[in-house]
Amino acid sequence: MVCLRRPLRVASITMASLRTWRRLLPALFVAAVLTGCNDANTEKAPVATENAKATAAVPIGSGFDFYVLSLSWSPTWCGDNDPDGKSSQCEIGGNRGLIVHGLWPQNEKGYPDFCPTRQSDRVPSSLGRQYLDLIPSMGLIGHQWRKHGTCSGLSQEDYFAVTRAAWNRLRLPAELSPSRQQTDLAVAGIEDAFTVKNPGMTKESVAVTCEGNRLEEIRICFDKSLNFRSCPAVDRQSCRKHSVSLPPAP
Protein backbone atom coordinates (compact mmCIF):
# COMPACT_ATOMS: atom_id res chain seq x y z
CA MET A 1 0.00 0.00 0.00
CA VAL A 2 1.28 3.50 -0.87
CA CYS A 3 1.78 5.65 2.22
CA LEU A 4 0.60 9.20 1.56
CA ARG A 5 1.72 12.04 3.77
CA ARG A 6 -1.52 13.99 3.20
CA PRO A 7 -4.87 13.35 1.45
CA LEU A 8 -5.31 14.16 -2.21
CA ARG A 9 -7.36 17.18 -3.08
CA VAL A 10 -10.13 15.61 -5.14
CA ALA A 11 -11.16 18.89 -6.67
CA SER A 12 -7.76 19.35 -8.26
CA ILE A 13 -7.75 16.01 -10.14
CA THR A 14 -8.28 16.37 -13.88
CA MET A 15 -8.78 13.62 -16.43
CA ALA A 16 -5.15 13.99 -17.55
CA SER A 17 -3.81 13.75 -14.02
CA LEU A 18 -6.07 10.75 -13.35
CA ARG A 19 -4.60 8.93 -16.32
CA THR A 20 -1.11 9.79 -15.01
CA TRP A 21 -1.92 8.40 -11.58
CA ARG A 22 -3.24 5.18 -13.11
CA ARG A 23 0.09 4.71 -14.87
CA LEU A 24 2.11 5.46 -11.71
CA LEU A 25 0.13 3.43 -9.19
CA PRO A 26 1.68 -0.01 -10.03
CA ALA A 27 5.21 1.35 -9.70
CA LEU A 28 4.36 3.15 -6.47
CA PHE A 29 2.83 -0.02 -5.04
CA VAL A 30 5.98 -2.06 -5.79
CA ALA A 31 8.20 0.62 -4.27
CA ALA A 32 6.08 0.69 -1.13
CA VAL A 33 6.29 -3.09 -0.72
CA LEU A 34 10.07 -3.14 -1.19
CA THR A 35 10.96 -0.23 1.05
CA GLY A 36 8.10 -0.07 3.55
CA CYS A 37 6.34 3.06 4.69
CA ASN A 38 8.83 4.07 7.35
CA ASP A 39 12.23 3.22 8.77
CA ALA A 40 10.71 1.12 11.55
CA ASN A 41 9.87 -1.61 9.04
CA THR A 42 13.48 -1.97 7.88
CA GLU A 43 15.04 -5.29 8.95
CA LYS A 44 18.45 -5.06 10.55
CA ALA A 45 21.27 -7.37 9.47
CA PRO A 46 21.95 -10.10 12.03
CA VAL A 47 24.83 -9.42 14.38
CA ALA A 48 27.74 -11.84 14.01
CA THR A 49 28.06 -14.21 16.93
CA GLU A 50 31.26 -14.54 18.94
CA ASN A 51 31.86 -17.98 17.45
CA ALA A 52 31.46 -16.67 13.91
CA LYS A 53 33.97 -13.92 14.59
CA ALA A 54 36.42 -16.39 16.07
CA THR A 55 36.32 -18.66 13.04
CA ALA A 56 35.98 -16.04 10.30
CA ALA A 57 38.32 -16.34 7.33
CA VAL A 58 40.10 -19.48 8.56
CA PRO A 59 41.91 -21.25 5.70
CA ILE A 60 40.16 -24.58 5.12
CA GLY A 61 42.37 -27.65 4.95
CA SER A 62 41.76 -30.82 2.94
CA GLY A 63 42.55 -34.53 2.98
CA PHE A 64 41.36 -35.25 6.54
CA ASP A 65 38.20 -35.14 8.68
CA PHE A 66 38.94 -32.82 11.62
CA TYR A 67 41.67 -31.28 13.77
CA VAL A 68 43.04 -32.16 17.18
CA LEU A 69 44.74 -29.30 19.01
CA SER A 70 47.15 -30.98 21.40
CA LEU A 71 48.18 -28.96 24.47
CA SER A 72 51.08 -30.25 26.57
CA TRP A 73 51.50 -29.60 30.28
CA SER A 74 55.03 -28.28 29.91
CA PRO A 75 56.26 -29.04 33.48
CA THR A 76 55.64 -32.76 32.94
CA TRP A 77 57.72 -32.79 29.76
CA CYS A 78 60.45 -30.66 31.30
CA GLY A 79 60.68 -32.89 34.36
CA ASP A 80 61.40 -35.89 32.13
CA ASN A 81 63.50 -34.28 29.41
CA ASP A 82 65.14 -31.09 30.72
CA PRO A 83 65.11 -30.97 34.53
CA ASP A 84 68.03 -28.51 34.55
CA GLY A 85 66.08 -25.96 32.50
CA LYS A 86 68.62 -25.58 29.70
CA SER A 87 66.03 -25.08 26.95
CA SER A 88 63.91 -21.97 26.52
CA GLN A 89 60.79 -24.04 27.17
CA CYS A 90 62.03 -25.28 30.53
CA GLU A 91 64.12 -22.33 31.72
CA ILE A 92 63.80 -21.48 35.39
CA GLY A 93 61.28 -18.70 35.84
CA GLY A 94 59.67 -19.32 32.44
CA ASN A 95 56.41 -20.14 34.21
CA ARG A 96 54.99 -22.18 31.34
CA GLY A 97 51.93 -24.33 31.87
CA LEU A 98 49.97 -25.47 28.83
CA ILE A 99 51.77 -25.04 25.52
CA VAL A 100 50.77 -26.04 22.00
CA HIS A 101 52.23 -29.42 21.10
CA GLY A 102 50.66 -29.26 17.66
CA LEU A 103 47.59 -29.07 15.45
CA TRP A 104 46.95 -32.54 14.06
CA PRO A 105 44.79 -33.38 11.04
CA GLN A 106 42.76 -36.41 12.07
CA ASN A 107 40.43 -38.93 10.45
CA GLU A 108 37.47 -40.65 12.06
CA LYS A 109 39.74 -43.69 12.24
CA GLY A 110 43.45 -43.02 12.54
CA TYR A 111 45.37 -40.05 11.23
CA PRO A 112 47.71 -39.19 8.35
CA ASP A 113 51.33 -38.23 8.93
CA PHE A 114 54.44 -37.25 6.97
CA CYS A 115 52.42 -36.62 3.81
CA PRO A 116 54.08 -35.86 0.46
CA THR A 117 53.93 -32.16 -0.35
CA ARG A 118 55.51 -29.58 -2.62
CA GLN A 119 56.10 -27.41 0.43
CA SER A 120 59.57 -27.30 1.95
CA ASP A 121 60.30 -29.61 4.90
CA ARG A 122 62.11 -26.78 6.60
CA VAL A 123 60.19 -24.03 8.36
CA PRO A 124 62.00 -20.71 7.82
CA SER A 125 63.13 -18.99 10.98
CA SER A 126 61.28 -15.84 9.91
CA LEU A 127 58.01 -17.82 10.02
CA GLY A 128 58.66 -20.14 12.94
CA ARG A 129 59.71 -17.40 15.33
CA GLN A 130 56.27 -15.84 15.02
CA TYR A 131 54.89 -18.88 16.87
CA LEU A 132 57.44 -19.40 19.64
CA ASP A 133 54.93 -18.00 22.14
CA LEU A 134 52.73 -21.03 21.36
CA ILE A 135 55.26 -23.74 20.46
CA PRO A 136 58.43 -22.76 22.34
CA SER A 137 60.97 -24.58 20.17
CA MET A 138 61.98 -24.19 16.53
CA GLY A 139 62.77 -27.91 16.53
CA LEU A 140 59.21 -28.76 17.61
CA ILE A 141 57.75 -26.27 15.14
CA GLY A 142 59.65 -27.96 12.31
CA HIS A 143 58.66 -31.44 13.48
CA GLN A 144 54.98 -30.52 13.71
CA TRP A 145 55.03 -29.19 10.17
CA ARG A 146 56.76 -32.28 8.74
CA LYS A 147 54.62 -34.83 10.58
CA HIS A 148 51.23 -33.10 10.70
CA GLY A 149 51.22 -29.85 8.75
CA THR A 150 52.13 -31.60 5.50
CA CYS A 151 48.85 -33.53 5.80
CA SER A 152 46.67 -30.43 6.22
CA GLY A 153 46.45 -29.45 2.55
CA LEU A 154 47.65 -25.98 3.61
CA SER A 155 50.76 -23.93 3.05
CA GLN A 156 53.16 -23.50 5.95
CA GLU A 157 51.88 -19.97 6.52
CA ASP A 158 48.24 -21.06 6.58
CA TYR A 159 48.87 -24.14 8.72
CA PHE A 160 50.50 -22.14 11.49
CA ALA A 161 47.93 -19.37 11.14
CA VAL A 162 45.17 -21.94 11.74
CA THR A 163 47.16 -23.28 14.71
CA ARG A 164 47.13 -19.83 16.30
CA ALA A 165 43.45 -19.36 15.45
CA ALA A 166 42.62 -22.65 17.20
CA TRP A 167 44.58 -21.55 20.28
CA ASN A 168 42.82 -18.18 20.27
CA ARG A 169 39.48 -19.97 20.01
CA LEU A 170 40.07 -21.54 23.43
CA ARG A 171 39.51 -20.07 26.87
CA LEU A 172 41.74 -21.80 29.42
CA PRO A 173 40.25 -22.54 32.85
CA ALA A 174 41.94 -20.88 35.81
CA GLU A 175 42.57 -24.35 37.26
CA LEU A 176 45.07 -24.94 34.44
CA SER A 177 47.16 -21.84 35.11
CA PRO A 178 50.84 -22.55 35.88
CA SER A 179 51.63 -22.74 39.57
CA ARG A 180 54.75 -22.89 41.73
CA GLN A 181 53.18 -25.73 43.70
CA GLN A 182 51.99 -29.14 42.60
CA THR A 183 48.23 -29.49 42.37
CA ASP A 184 45.97 -32.49 41.89
CA LEU A 185 42.84 -32.36 39.74
CA ALA A 186 40.17 -34.89 38.85
CA VAL A 187 40.26 -35.86 35.17
CA ALA A 188 36.50 -35.34 34.89
CA GLY A 189 36.92 -31.99 36.64
CA ILE A 190 39.42 -30.83 34.00
CA GLU A 191 37.00 -31.75 31.23
CA ASP A 192 34.13 -30.00 33.03
CA ALA A 193 36.23 -26.86 33.51
CA PHE A 194 36.94 -26.68 29.78
CA THR A 195 33.32 -27.19 28.77
CA VAL A 196 32.12 -24.51 31.19
CA LYS A 197 34.70 -22.02 29.94
CA ASN A 198 34.11 -22.76 26.24
CA PRO A 199 30.46 -22.63 25.06
CA GLY A 200 29.80 -25.24 22.39
CA MET A 201 32.40 -27.66 23.72
CA THR A 202 31.19 -30.96 25.16
CA LYS A 203 33.03 -33.60 27.16
CA GLU A 204 33.20 -35.62 23.93
CA SER A 205 35.25 -32.77 22.41
CA VAL A 206 38.09 -32.93 24.94
CA ALA A 207 40.43 -35.69 26.10
CA VAL A 208 42.88 -35.60 29.02
CA THR A 209 45.95 -37.84 28.77
CA CYS A 210 48.39 -38.73 31.53
CA GLU A 211 51.98 -39.86 31.97
CA GLY A 212 51.79 -42.13 34.98
CA ASN A 213 49.98 -40.05 37.59
CA ARG A 214 50.89 -36.73 35.97
CA LEU A 215 48.96 -34.62 33.49
CA GLU A 216 50.48 -35.06 30.04
CA GLU A 217 48.21 -33.42 27.45
CA ILE A 218 44.77 -31.99 26.81
CA ARG A 219 43.43 -32.62 23.31
CA ILE A 220 40.63 -30.53 21.84
CA CYS A 221 38.73 -31.49 18.68
CA PHE A 222 37.69 -28.94 16.05
CA ASP A 223 36.12 -29.16 12.64
CA LYS A 224 37.94 -27.53 9.73
CA SER A 225 36.28 -24.19 10.50
CA LEU A 226 37.42 -24.43 14.15
CA ASN A 227 34.05 -25.17 15.67
CA PHE A 228 34.20 -27.63 18.56
CA ARG A 229 33.10 -31.14 17.62
CA SER A 230 32.94 -34.56 19.23
CA CYS A 231 35.67 -37.11 18.48
CA PRO A 232 34.92 -40.52 20.02
CA ALA A 233 38.19 -42.13 18.90
CA VAL A 234 40.24 -39.37 20.55
CA ASP A 235 38.04 -39.34 23.64
CA ARG A 236 38.66 -43.07 24.14
CA GLN A 237 42.36 -42.28 24.63
CA SER A 238 41.62 -40.28 27.79
CA CYS A 239 43.43 -41.06 31.01
CA ARG A 240 41.67 -43.80 33.00
CA LYS A 241 42.83 -42.51 36.36
CA HIS A 242 40.47 -40.61 38.62
CA SER A 243 42.88 -37.70 39.12
CA VAL A 244 46.22 -36.42 37.86
CA SER A 245 49.01 -34.33 39.36
CA LEU A 246 50.12 -31.08 37.75
CA PRO A 247 53.85 -30.65 38.43
CA PRO A 248 54.79 -27.06 39.27
CA ALA A 249 56.18 -24.71 36.63
CA PRO A 250 59.98 -24.27 36.74
Side-chain angles (χ1 to χ4, degrees), residues 8 12 20 58 77 84 101-102 113 123 146 152 169 209-210 213:
L8 288 173
S12 65
T20 300
V58 174
W77 188 91
D84 296 328
H101 182 173
D113 60 6
V123 177
R146 289 187 293 274
S152 66
R169 177 79 170 81
T209 69
C210 51
N213 293 321

Side-chain angles (χ1 to χ4, degrees), residues 39-162:
D39 293 338
N41 292 332
T42 303
E43 291 188 6
K44 296 182 179 180
V47 178
T49 64
E50 182 178 349
N51 288 356
K53 291 178 182 178
T55 60
V58 174
I60 302 299
S62 60
F64 61 97
D65 294 328
F66 62 96
Y67 288 116
V68 171
L69 180 67
S70 179
L71 307 177
S72 289
W73 184 251
S74 186
T76 297
W77 188 91
C78 291
D80 289 341
N81 298 278
D82 186 12
D84 296 328
K86 295 180 179 180
S87 65
S88 58
Q89 176 180 340
C90 304
E91 63 185 352
I92 306 302
N95 202 36
R96 294 186 185 274
L98 286 173
I99 65 166
V100 173
H101 182 173
L103 183 69
W104 304 342
Q106 194 90 5
N107 292 322
E108 299 298 345
K109 293 183 178 180
Y111 60 89
D113 60 6
F114 296 106
C115 297
T117 177
R118 294 182 179 180
Q119 296 277 314
S120 172
D121 282 348
R122 179 181 174 276
V123 177
S125 176
S126 58
L127 175 62
R129 290 188 177 280
Q130 298 177 39
Y131 296 93
L132 286 174
D133 59 317
L134 302 183
I135 309 174
S137 162
M138 282 297 297
L140 182 56
I141 286 172
H143 176 72
Q144 291 304 304
W145 164 251
R146 289 187 293 274
K147 184 173 182 179
H148 301 288
T150 55
C151 302
S152 66
L154 299 171
S155 66
Q156 288 186 358
E157 291 80 2
D158 283 348
Y159 170 71
F160 287 110
V162 174

